[in-house]
Amino acid sequence: ENGQREDSLIQNDLSESFEEEVRAFLGDEEKLHLFDDLTKVNPVTTRTVLKCLQARYRVNLFYTNAGCSLVALNPFQPFSCLYSPELMREYHVALCPQDLKPHIFAVAEQTYRNVQKQMDPVNQSIIVSGESGAGKTWTSRCLMKFYASVAASVISPKGNETVERIEKRVLDSNPVMEAFGNACTLRNNNSSRFGKYIQLQLDRFHHLTGASIQTFLLEKTRVAYQAPNERNFHIFYQITKGATAEERLEWNLPEGAEYRWLPNSERNLDEDCFEVTRGAMFHLGIGHATQSNIFKV
């Protein structure tokens, strides 16, 4: 009994001491946003980590390192300066990109350099994960744009036109994937309803030579059933809102008709632009006849 009582007292002392450390760390709120790496937080608790992220979010710092990982917070508003070509170049030419502010470009550049440093080709992978609305689709776009820009920045022996064409195709794959695989959900207007593995291929000069995209676990049940206040895949709304009079006649889509499988069609999203999807499909080499067959289906 005495031993148990002593253990209990020691445990209480440790708990009180730990709480004092947490309070002391959180006491200086003005310095919390300076923690750009969560491994520097001491003591490490859910509370201290979230408070640091919250403090950084308030001063528009949306990226924070966590050791070899990067934590990204969705600002839910545009910050064009955060993804400008000038900033891409700054991270690309930096002697040590990890010494700059935490950013998705720092991760992208370090991965690119890991490939360059190897005598024999060594694959590099970046895993983008998070819950719905976290910003995975946007992050994937930023990564593809960065590599398309960096890997095409030097004239390839095969000709700059070839590199530019590949760059255009890599970037144009985004609106096509999103049209056929993304939908408006309760938490996110442009939610990816599938997983994707994007492989960018480089030659021995580290120039972009091609890309392949594999999809998996597509939420096909969404075609026939949508939860209340959610929508079907974007492509259906794009077709019904953007098809020409001739196409409507050919595809049996009467003007102004309502479709049971297309709820909440009165909502107008940026993703409802049919011309963007069609233009991207043309750039990917999908001709008019094939496109017409796809839209008929």
Side-chain angles (χ1 to χ4, degrees):
E1 289 180 1
N2 289 337
Q4 289 178 347
R5 191 180 298 113
E6 288 176 2
D7 288 344
S8 179
L9 291 173
I10 292 172
Q11 188 65 39
N12 288 336
D13 289 341
L14 289 174
S15 298
E16 290 177 6
S17 175
F18 187 73
E19 279 298 318
E20 287 180 7
E21 288 184 42
V22 171
R23 285 195 293 269
F25 178 83
L26 297 176
D28 196 352
E29 293 187 8
E30 294 183 358
K31 292 184 178 180
L32 291 181
H33 73 278
L34 299 176
F35 286 87
D36 59 359
D37 193 327
L38 296 178
T39 60
K40 300 176 183 177
V41 174
N42 186 25
V44 177
T45 68
T46 302
R47 186 180 172 193
T48 54
V49 167
L50 292 180
K51 282 291 185 180
C52 287
L53 292 174
Q54 184 183 48
R56 291 177 63 77
Y57 190 90
R58 284 173 177 165
V59 294
N60 295 337
L61 294 172
F62 306 112
Y63 290 106
T64 307
N65 289 326
C68 59
S69 300
L70 180 71
V71 178
L73 300 179
N74 192 337
F76 292 103
Q77 56 182 304
F79 280 89
S80 56
C81 60
L82 200 58
Y83 306 100
S84 66
E86 292 76 21
L87 195 62
M88 282 188 200
R89 175 164 178 77
E90 183 179 343
Y91 279 87
H92 181 49
V93 302
L95 291 177
C96 185
Q98 298 300 332
D99 289 343
L100 301 178
K101 291 181 179 180
H103 199 288
I104 188 61
F105 292 162
V107 176
E109 177 60 27
Q110 188 58 54
T111 307
Y112 186 62
R113 293 187 186 187
N114 288 347
V115 174
Q116 289 180 307
K117 290 177 182 177
Q118 306 299 324
M119 293 299 293
D120 297 318
V122 176
N123 294 332
Q124 295 287 305
S125 297
I126 298 176
I127 299 174
V128 182
S129 65
E131 61 183 22
S132 181
K136 299 184 296 297
T137 297
W138 178 261
T139 299
S140 299
R141 284 186 197 173
C142 291
L143 286 167
M144 292 176 73
K145 193 168 185 179
F146 181 87
Y147 288 126
S149 174
V150 168
S153 60
V154 181
I155 295 178
S156 168
K158 299 178 182 178
N160 199 39
E161 290 184 4
T162 303
V163 179
E164 289 179 354
R165 177 175 56 80
I166 295 171
E167 174 189 357
K168 179 67 175 170
R169 285 190 171 192
V170 168
L171 298 180
D172 276 337
S173 65
N174 273 317
V176 176
M177 285 193 298
E178 292 176 18
F180 288 90
N182 288 19
C184 177
T185 64
L186 294 177
R187 303 185 65 181
N188 184 359
N189 284 351
N190 190 33
S191 179
S192 298
R193 309 316 304 161
F194 68 104
K196 55 181 174 283
Y197 174 68
I198 305 171
Q199 184 182 71
L200 303 181
Q201 297 145 359
L202 308 177
D203 62 15
R204 61 192 182 93
F205 300 101
H206 309 116
H207 298 145
L208 196 63
T209 58
S212 65
I213 299 170
Q214 300 175 34
T215 62
F216 53 94
L217 299 178
L218 176 65
E219 189 186 44
K220 291 177 284 190
T221 54
R222 178 170 292 270
V223 174
Y225 171 80
Q226 304 83 34
N229 298 318
E230 293 195 349
R231 300 203 323 172
N232 210 324
F233 290 106
H234 294 324
I235 187 62
F236 298 112
Y237 299 92
Q238 292 180 1
I239 290 174
T240 55
K241 292 180 179 182
T244 64
E246 294 79 8
E247 288 170 338
R248 287 183 180 280
L249 186 63
E250 182 183 0
W251 301 336
N252 192 23
L253 300 174
E255 187 76 46
E258 294 185 2
Y259 302 92
R260 185 172 58 182
W261 283 6
L262 301 185
N264 302 303
S265 58
E266 71 282 353
R267 295 188 63 178
N268 291 311
L269 307 180
D270 293 338
E271 290 77 17
D272 288 344
C273 188
F274 193 29
E275 290 305 313
V276 171
T277 299
R278 285 211 273 208
M281 292 174 77
F282 275 120
H283 283 295
L284 290 174
I286 304 173
H288 179 77
T290 304
Q291 284 191 34
S292 182
N293 287 333
I294 291 171
F295 300 140
K296 282 178 184 177
V297 173

